[in-house]
Amino acid sequence: MLNVVIFGAPGSGKGTQSAMMIHRYGLHHISTGEVLRDHIARGTKLGKVADHYISRGQLIPDELMIDVLADLLDNNPKATAKGVIFDGFPRTIHQARVLSDMLAERGTKVHAVIGLEVPEDRLVYRMMSRGKETGRADDNLDTIKKRLEVYHRQTSPLKEYYINEGKYHKVDGDGKVDRIFNDIVNHLEKVRAEEEKMMQQEHQLKQEDRRQQQG
Ligand code: AMP
C-alpha cells in the first residue's frame, strides 16, 4: 500500500503526473478539484456552494472539504485498499492534520508527499494555455492570480509541515513530463523500499516477542 500526496501550486502538473502514477502503481486517484467540478456540472447543492468559491479563486471551507473527503474514502474501500493519490488535498494545515487522523483510523498513513516545484511565471503560462485548450472556468488571468495568492498564504506552509514529518520529496516540476515522472518514480521506489524494511523489522520483533513468551 502506498498513499501519496501530490503537492504543488495550481498549474504545477499534479493532474498529469497523477495520471502517470495511477498507470504505473494502480493507485486510486482522489482529485478534490475534479470532484467539485463534477458537482458544479451536475448542479448539485455542493456544486452550487463550490462554484461560489472556485470562481473567486478561493478555497472551499475546511469543514465542507473534510466531509467530501471522508465520503470519498468511505465509499471506495476496495479502490482505496491499494493506496491513494491525494491530488489537491490537503490544501491547509488543518486539512493535513485531519487527513493524518482519518488515515490513522483506517490503519494507514501518508507515506510520501511529492512536491512539484515550478517557477511562478511558468505556472501562469501553463494555466493560461490550459484555459484556452479546455475552457476550464477558473483558468483566467484574474482568477489565476487570486489562486496563486491563496496558494502562497494558505497552502504553501504545508511544505514545511511535511518536511518536518520527513515526508516531503522535492521534484523539479519544470521540464519534460517524462523526466519529471522519472524523478517521482525514483523517490517512490526509495519510499517503498524503506516501508518494506520497516515492516520486516516489525515482523522480526513480533516473532522475537512470541519466542520469549513461549520460552
Ligand atoms: P484544483 O483542481 O485542485 O486546482 O482545484 C480547483 C479549485 O477547487 C480550487 O481552486 C479550490 O477552490 C477548490 N478546491 C479543490 N480542492 C480543495 C481543497 N482541498 N480545499 C479547499 N478547496 C479546494
Side-chain angles (χ1 to χ4, degrees):
M1 169 175 244
L2 195 61
N3 293 314
V4 182
V5 171
I6 185 121
F7 179 78
S12 60
K14 299 190 293 289
T16 305
Q17 295 298 330
S18 292
M20 294 169 85
M21 282 155 70
I22 292 157
H23 191 65
R24 171 141 186 157
Y25 293 104
L27 301 175
H28 180 65
H29 187 207
I30 291 186
S31 160
T32 44
E34 268 173 29
V35 169
L36 296 171
R37 281 189 288 280
D38 178 56
H39 274 273
I40 293 173
R42 287 189 287 122
T44 66
K45 209 169 130 193
L46 170 62
K48 288 196 178 98
V49 177
D51 193 30
H52 171 88
Y53 292 98
I54 292 181
S55 61
R56 288 167 176 76
Q58 293 168 355
L59 297 185
I60 276 76
D62 277 348
E63 294 319 316
L64 192 55
M65 247 6 264
I66 287 160
D67 283 350
V68 171
L69 188 79
D71 251 15
L72 291 169
L73 287 178
D74 289 338
N75 291 330
N76 295 290
K78 269 206 188 123
T80 52
K82 268 185 104 174
V84 176
I85 300 176
F86 294 96
D87 167 2
F89 193 102
R91 262 181 157 96
T92 63
I93 299 274
H94 181 61
Q95 288 182 12
R97 293 200 177 114
V98 171
L99 178 63
S100 163
D101 291 345
M102 270 190 204
L103 293 178
E105 277 165 21
R106 290 164 175 82
T108 186
K109 63 177 181 178
V110 168
H111 294 92
V113 177
I114 298 293
L116 294 174
E117 302 199 1
V118 177
E120 190 107 350
D121 55 338
R122 294 288 302 154
L123 294 171
V124 176
Y125 173 79
R126 282 189 191 180
M127 283 187 275
M128 290 297 287
S129 312
R130 183 172 65 186
K132 281 189 199 118
E133 278 165 27
T134 67
R136 185 170 146 171
D138 57 349
D139 280 340
N140 64 76
L141 196 55
D142 278 351
T143 317
I144 288 170
K145 281 188 184 154
K146 183 78 193 139
R147 283 156 71 202
L148 287 171
E149 207 183 290
V150 165
Y151 170 78
H152 289 300
R153 190 160 25 92
Q154 291 180 272
T155 306
S156 68
L158 279 174
K159 175 177 169 177
E160 203 62 30
Y161 174 89
Y162 281 121
I163 288 175
N164 289 335
E165 291 212 333
K167 290 181 177 169
Y168 189 84
H169 301 268
K170 175 185 164 166
V171 170
D172 173 5
D174 191 17
K176 290 221 161 66
V177 168
D178 288 340
R179 194 273 304 150
I180 298 167
F181 183 60
N182 207 29
D183 288 357
I184 292 178
V185 169
N186 286 339
H187 282 291
L188 292 183
E189 290 305 322
K190 276 187 210 143
V191 170
R192 279 229 294 210
E194 269 168 34
E195 279 299 313
E196 234 158 71
K197 214 166 91 186
M198 258 169 45
M199 278 180 31
Q200 272 172 3
Q201 281 170 349
E202 264 175 39
H203 182 69
Q204 276 172 354
L205 279 174
K206 272 188 195 149
Q207 275 189 327
E208 264 171 43
D209 263 3
R210 222 174 286 143
R211 249 181 260 130
Q212 278 178 355
Q213 277 172 5
Q214 282 169 353

PDB file of all heavy atoms in Angstrom, residues 7 17 21 24 38 61 64 67-68 80 89-90 114 123 128 135 144 146 163 167 183 193 205:
ATOM      1  N   PHE A   7       1.685  17.337  -4.375  1.00  0.00           N
ATOM      2  CA  PHE A   7       1.569  18.688  -3.827  1.00  0.00           C
ATOM      3  C   PHE A   7       2.239  19.692  -4.764  1.00  0.00           C
ATOM      4  O   PHE A   7       3.270  19.404  -5.367  1.00  0.00           O
ATOM      5  CB  PHE A   7       2.263  18.690  -2.448  1.00  0.00           C
ATOM      6  CG  PHE A   7       2.252  20.016  -1.760  1.00  0.00           C
ATOM      7  CD1 PHE A   7       1.110  20.458  -1.112  1.00  0.00           C
ATOM      8  CD2 PHE A   7       3.379  20.831  -1.771  1.00  0.00           C
ATOM      9  CE1 PHE A   7       1.093  21.695  -0.482  1.00  0.00           C
ATOM     10  CE2 PHE A   7       3.373  22.063  -1.137  1.00  0.00           C
ATOM     11  CZ  PHE A   7       2.227  22.487  -0.495  1.00  0.00           C
ATOM     12  N   GLN A  17       0.804  14.275 -13.698  1.00  0.00           N
ATOM     13  CA  GLN A  17       1.675  13.289 -13.053  1.00  0.00           C
ATOM     14  C   GLN A  17       0.855  12.244 -12.294  1.00  0.00           C
ATOM     15  O   GLN A  17       1.261  11.088 -12.216  1.00  0.00           O
ATOM     16  CB  GLN A  17       2.690  13.987 -12.120  1.00  0.00           C
ATOM     17  CG  GLN A  17       3.685  14.873 -12.867  1.00  0.00           C
ATOM     18  CD  GLN A  17       4.564  14.091 -13.849  1.00  0.00           C
ATOM     19  OE1 GLN A  17       4.856  12.917 -13.639  1.00  0.00           O
ATOM     20  NE2 GLN A  17       4.975  14.742 -14.926  1.00  0.00           N
ATOM     21  N   MET A  21       1.114   8.155 -12.520  1.00  0.00           N
ATOM     22  CA  MET A  21       1.342   7.327 -11.328  1.00  0.00           C
ATOM     23  C   MET A  21       0.275   6.240 -11.190  1.00  0.00           C
ATOM     24  O   MET A  21       0.557   5.120 -10.781  1.00  0.00           O
ATOM     25  CB  MET A  21       1.361   8.208 -10.075  1.00  0.00           C
ATOM     26  CG  MET A  21       2.677   8.947  -9.914  1.00  0.00           C
ATOM     27  SD  MET A  21       2.477  10.445  -8.941  1.00  0.00           S
ATOM     28  CE  MET A  21       2.166   9.776  -7.355  1.00  0.00           C
ATOM     29  N   ARG A  24       1.112   3.419 -13.483  1.00  0.00           N
ATOM     30  CA  ARG A  24       2.257   2.606 -13.044  1.00  0.00           C
ATOM     31  C   ARG A  24       1.974   1.798 -11.774  1.00  0.00           C
ATOM     32  O   ARG A  24       2.361   0.657 -11.661  1.00  0.00           O
ATOM     33  CB  ARG A  24       3.448   3.531 -12.821  1.00  0.00           C
ATOM     34  CG  ARG A  24       4.601   2.829 -12.178  1.00  0.00           C
ATOM     35  CD  ARG A  24       5.886   3.270 -12.746  1.00  0.00           C
ATOM     36  NE  ARG A  24       6.964   2.469 -12.211  1.00  0.00           N
ATOM     37  CZ  ARG A  24       8.107   2.319 -12.810  1.00  0.00           C
ATOM     38  NH1 ARG A  24       8.303   2.891 -13.967  1.00  0.00           N
ATOM     39  NH2 ARG A  24       9.066   1.612 -12.255  1.00  0.00           N
ATOM     40  N   ASP A  38     -17.207  18.264 -11.014  1.00  0.00           N
ATOM     41  CA  ASP A  38     -18.284  17.344 -11.407  1.00  0.00           C
ATOM     42  C   ASP A  38     -19.606  17.754 -10.736  1.00  0.00           C
ATOM     43  O   ASP A  38     -20.664  17.741 -11.368  1.00  0.00           O
ATOM     44  CB  ASP A  38     -17.875  15.913 -11.001  1.00  0.00           C
ATOM     45  CG  ASP A  38     -18.958  14.909 -11.328  1.00  0.00           C
ATOM     46  OD1 ASP A  38     -19.352  14.854 -12.506  1.00  0.00           O
ATOM     47  OD2 ASP A  38     -19.420  14.195 -10.411  1.00  0.00           O
ATOM     48  N   PRO A  61     -14.439  26.032   2.300  1.00  0.00           N
ATOM     49  CA  PRO A  61     -14.150  25.933   3.734  1.00  0.00           C
ATOM     50  C   PRO A  61     -13.754  24.514   4.160  1.00  0.00           C
ATOM     51  O   PRO A  61     -14.293  23.535   3.635  1.00  0.00           O
ATOM     52  CB  PRO A  61     -15.482  26.341   4.382  1.00  0.00           C
ATOM     53  CG  PRO A  61     -16.170  27.165   3.354  1.00  0.00           C
ATOM     54  CD  PRO A  61     -15.740  26.631   2.025  1.00  0.00           C
ATOM     55  N   LEU A  64     -16.346  21.642   5.074  1.00  0.00           N
ATOM     56  CA  LEU A  64     -17.067  21.092   3.932  1.00  0.00           C
ATOM     57  C   LEU A  64     -16.168  20.123   3.157  1.00  0.00           C
ATOM     58  O   LEU A  64     -16.568  19.015   2.779  1.00  0.00           O
ATOM     59  CB  LEU A  64     -17.522  22.256   3.045  1.00  0.00           C
ATOM     60  CG  LEU A  64     -18.524  21.960   1.957  1.00  0.00           C
ATOM     61  CD1 LEU A  64     -19.761  21.311   2.520  1.00  0.00           C
ATOM     62  CD2 LEU A  64     -18.911  23.252   1.228  1.00  0.00           C
ATOM     63  N   ASP A  67     -15.668  16.766   4.896  1.00  0.00           N
ATOM     64  CA  ASP A  67     -16.822  15.876   4.700  1.00  0.00           C
ATOM     65  C   ASP A  67     -16.750  15.209   3.327  1.00  0.00           C
ATOM     66  O   ASP A  67     -17.031  14.015   3.193  1.00  0.00           O
ATOM     67  CB  ASP A  67     -18.143  16.664   4.772  1.00  0.00           C
ATOM     68  CG  ASP A  67     -18.508  16.989   6.208  1.00  0.00           C
ATOM     69  OD1 ASP A  67     -17.851  16.447   7.120  1.00  0.00           O
ATOM     70  OD2 ASP A  67     -19.444  17.792   6.413  1.00  0.00           O
ATOM     71  N   VAL A  68     -16.372  16.006   2.317  1.00  0.00           N
ATOM     72  CA  VAL A  68     -16.277  15.470   0.958  1.00  0.00           C
ATOM     73  C   VAL A  68     -15.230  14.355   0.929  1.00  0.00           C
ATOM     74  O   VAL A  68     -15.448  13.269   0.380  1.00  0.00           O
ATOM     75  CB  VAL A  68     -15.899  16.588  -0.058  1.00  0.00           C
ATOM     76  CG1 VAL A  68     -15.586  16.016  -1.427  1.00  0.00           C
ATOM     77  CG2 VAL A  68     -17.020  17.619  -0.159  1.00  0.00           C
ATOM     78  N   THR A  80      -9.540   2.041  -2.555  1.00  0.00           N
ATOM     79  CA  THR A  80      -8.502   2.702  -1.767  1.00  0.00           C
ATOM     80  C   THR A  80      -7.552   1.705  -1.095  1.00  0.00           C
ATOM     81  O   THR A  80      -6.547   2.096  -0.533  1.00  0.00           O
ATOM     82  CB  THR A  80      -9.129   3.607  -0.686  1.00  0.00           C
ATOM     83  OG1 THR A  80     -10.067   2.849   0.064  1.00  0.00           O
ATOM     84  CG2 THR A  80      -9.816   4.804  -1.297  1.00  0.00           C
ATOM     85  N   PHE A  89      -5.608  17.823  -2.204  1.00  0.00           N
ATOM     86  CA  PHE A  89      -5.952  17.707  -0.788  1.00  0.00           C
ATOM     87  C   PHE A  89      -4.753  17.088  -0.081  1.00  0.00           C
ATOM     88  O   PHE A  89      -4.265  16.061  -0.552  1.00  0.00           O
ATOM     89  CB  PHE A  89      -7.187  16.821  -0.582  1.00  0.00           C
ATOM     90  CG  PHE A  89      -7.765  16.904   0.811  1.00  0.00           C
ATOM     91  CD1 PHE A  89      -8.891  17.664   1.077  1.00  0.00           C
ATOM     92  CD2 PHE A  89      -7.147  16.235   1.870  1.00  0.00           C
ATOM     93  CE1 PHE A  89      -9.415  17.763   2.361  1.00  0.00           C
ATOM     94  CE2 PHE A  89      -7.658  16.334   3.155  1.00  0.00           C
ATOM     95  CZ  PHE A  89      -8.790  17.090   3.406  1.00  0.00           C
ATOM     96  N   PRO A  90      -4.260  17.612   1.021  1.00  0.00           N
ATOM     97  CA  PRO A  90      -4.742  18.780   1.746  1.00  0.00           C
ATOM     98  C   PRO A  90      -4.260  20.099   1.127  1.00  0.00           C
ATOM     99  O   PRO A  90      -3.269  20.140   0.422  1.00  0.00           O
ATOM    100  CB  PRO A  90      -4.103  18.587   3.127  1.00  0.00           C
ATOM    101  CG  PRO A  90      -2.823  17.841   2.858  1.00  0.00           C
ATOM    102  CD  PRO A  90      -3.128  16.941   1.702  1.00  0.00           C
ATOM    103  N   ILE A 114       4.905  14.241  -2.705  1.00  0.00           N
ATOM    104  CA  ILE A 114       5.718  14.641  -3.856  1.00  0.00           C
ATOM    105  C   ILE A 114       5.436  16.116  -4.117  1.00  0.00           C
ATOM    106  O   ILE A 114       4.299  16.491  -4.428  1.00  0.00           O
ATOM    107  CB  ILE A 114       5.354  13.799  -5.105  1.00  0.00           C
ATOM    108  CG1 ILE A 114       5.636  12.306  -4.880  1.00  0.00           C
ATOM    109  CG2 ILE A 114       6.073  14.322  -6.347  1.00  0.00           C
ATOM    110  CD1 ILE A 114       7.103  11.926  -4.737  1.00  0.00           C
ATOM    111  N   LEU A 123       3.920  28.803 -14.129  1.00  0.00           N
ATOM    112  CA  LEU A 123       2.589  28.389 -13.651  1.00  0.00           C
ATOM    113  C   LEU A 123       1.517  29.182 -14.379  1.00  0.00           C
ATOM    114  O   LEU A 123       0.532  28.617 -14.862  1.00  0.00           O
ATOM    115  CB  LEU A 123       2.461  28.635 -12.137  1.00  0.00           C
ATOM    116  CG  LEU A 123       3.345  27.800 -11.208  1.00  0.00           C
ATOM    117  CD1 LEU A 123       3.237  28.325  -9.776  1.00  0.00           C
ATOM    118  CD2 LEU A 123       2.949  26.327 -11.250  1.00  0.00           C
ATOM    119  N   MET A 128      -2.858  29.536 -18.272  1.00  0.00           N
ATOM    120  CA  MET A 128      -3.479  30.296 -19.364  1.00  0.00           C
ATOM    121  C   MET A 128      -3.657  29.378 -20.587  1.00  0.00           C
ATOM    122  O   MET A 128      -4.706  29.405 -21.242  1.00  0.00           O
ATOM    123  CB  MET A 128      -2.611  31.509 -19.739  1.00  0.00           C
ATOM    124  CG  MET A 128      -2.577  32.614 -18.696  1.00  0.00           C
ATOM    125  SD  MET A 128      -4.197  33.369 -18.424  1.00  0.00           S
ATOM    126  CE  MET A 128      -4.375  34.329 -19.924  1.00  0.00           C
ATOM    127  N   GLY A 135     -11.095  25.235 -21.655  1.00  0.00           N
ATOM    128  CA  GLY A 135     -12.212  26.091 -21.257  1.00  0.00           C
ATOM    129  C   GLY A 135     -12.471  26.050 -19.756  1.00  0.00           C
ATOM    130  O   GLY A 135     -13.536  26.491 -19.295  1.00  0.00           O
ATOM    131  N   ILE A 144      -6.516  33.199 -11.771  1.00  0.00           N
ATOM    132  CA  ILE A 144      -5.201  32.564 -11.602  1.00  0.00           C
ATOM    133  C   ILE A 144      -4.393  33.333 -10.548  1.00  0.00           C
ATOM    134  O   ILE A 144      -3.805  32.744  -9.636  1.00  0.00           O
ATOM    135  CB  ILE A 144      -4.428  32.512 -12.951  1.00  0.00           C
ATOM    136  CG1 ILE A 144      -5.065  31.479 -13.892  1.00  0.00           C
ATOM    137  CG2 ILE A 144      -2.947  32.205 -12.733  1.00  0.00           C
ATOM    138  CD1 ILE A 144      -4.535  31.515 -15.319  1.00  0.00           C
ATOM    139  N   LYS A 146      -5.453  35.240  -8.160  1.00  0.00           N
ATOM    140  CA  LYS A 146      -6.065  35.036  -6.850  1.00  0.00           C
ATOM    141  C   LYS A 146      -5.699  33.657  -6.289  1.00  0.00           C
ATOM    142  O   LYS A 146      -5.351  33.513  -5.115  1.00  0.00           O
ATOM    143  CB  LYS A 146      -7.595  35.172  -7.015  1.00  0.00           C
ATOM    144  CG  LYS A 146      -8.367  35.067  -5.753  1.00  0.00           C
ATOM    145  CD  LYS A 146      -8.307  36.366  -4.940  1.00  0.00           C
ATOM    146  CE  LYS A 146      -8.820  36.065  -3.555  1.00  0.00           C
ATOM    147  NZ  LYS A 146      -8.212  36.602  -2.450  1.00  0.00           N
ATOM    148  N   ILE A 163       7.958  18.624   5.497  1.00  0.00           N
ATOM    149  CA  ILE A 163       9.418  18.479   5.676  1.00  0.00           C
ATOM    150  C   ILE A 163       9.674  18.035   7.109  1.00  0.00           C
ATOM    151  O   ILE A 163      10.444  17.114   7.373  1.00  0.00           O
ATOM    152  CB  ILE A 163      10.157  19.812   5.372  1.00  0.00           C
ATOM    153  CG1 ILE A 163      10.149  20.099   3.861  1.00  0.00           C
ATOM    154  CG2 ILE A 163      11.602  19.758   5.896  1.00  0.00           C
ATOM    155  CD1 ILE A 163      10.750  21.442   3.459  1.00  0.00           C
ATOM    156  N   LYS A 167       8.546  13.692   5.213  1.00  0.00           N
ATOM    157  CA  LYS A 167       7.813  13.047   4.111  1.00  0.00           C
ATOM    158  C   LYS A 167       7.914  13.793   2.787  1.00  0.00           C
ATOM    159  O   LYS A 167       7.426  13.313   1.772  1.00  0.00           O
ATOM    160  CB  LYS A 167       6.323  12.931   4.493  1.00  0.00           C
ATOM    161  CG  LYS A 167       6.106  11.915   5.592  1.00  0.00           C
ATOM    162  CD  LYS A 167       4.647  11.790   5.958  1.00  0.00           C
ATOM    163  CE  LYS A 167       4.478  10.710   7.012  1.00  0.00           C
ATOM    164  NZ  LYS A 167       3.148  10.712   7.595  1.00  0.00           N
ATOM    165  N   ASP A 183      11.700  11.198 -12.060  1.00  0.00           N
ATOM    166  CA  ASP A 183      12.163  11.663 -10.737  1.00  0.00           C
ATOM    167  C   ASP A 183      11.184  11.212  -9.647  1.00  0.00           C
ATOM    168  O   ASP A 183      11.587  10.807  -8.565  1.00  0.00           O
ATOM    169  CB  ASP A 183      12.276  13.197 -10.704  1.00  0.00           C
ATOM    170  CG  ASP A 183      13.462  13.695 -11.523  1.00  0.00           C
ATOM    171  OD1 ASP A 183      14.211  12.848 -12.045  1.00  0.00           O
ATOM    172  OD2 ASP A 183      13.625  14.930 -11.643  1.00  0.00           O
ATOM    173  N   ALA A 193      10.896   0.900  -0.648  1.00  0.00           N
ATOM    174  CA  ALA A 193      11.941   0.025  -0.093  1.00  0.00           C
ATOM    175  C   ALA A 193      12.053   0.243   1.417  1.00  0.00           C
ATOM    176  O   ALA A 193      12.167  -0.715   2.184  1.00  0.00           O
ATOM    177  CB  ALA A 193      13.264   0.307  -0.786  1.00  0.00           C
ATOM    178  N   LEU A 205      10.552  -8.363  15.159  1.00  0.00           N
ATOM    179  CA  LEU A 205      10.369  -8.030  16.579  1.00  0.00           C
ATOM    180  C   LEU A 205       9.214  -8.818  17.180  1.00  0.00           C
ATOM    181  O   LEU A 205       9.315  -9.343  18.288  1.00  0.00           O
ATOM    182  CB  LEU A 205      10.101  -6.527  16.744  1.00  0.00           C
ATOM    183  CG  LEU A 205      11.326  -5.621  16.714  1.00  0.00           C
ATOM    184  CD1 LEU A 205      10.910  -4.163  16.733  1.00  0.00           C
ATOM    185  CD2 LEU A 205      12.243  -5.921  17.909  1.00  0.00           C
TER     186      LEU A 205
END
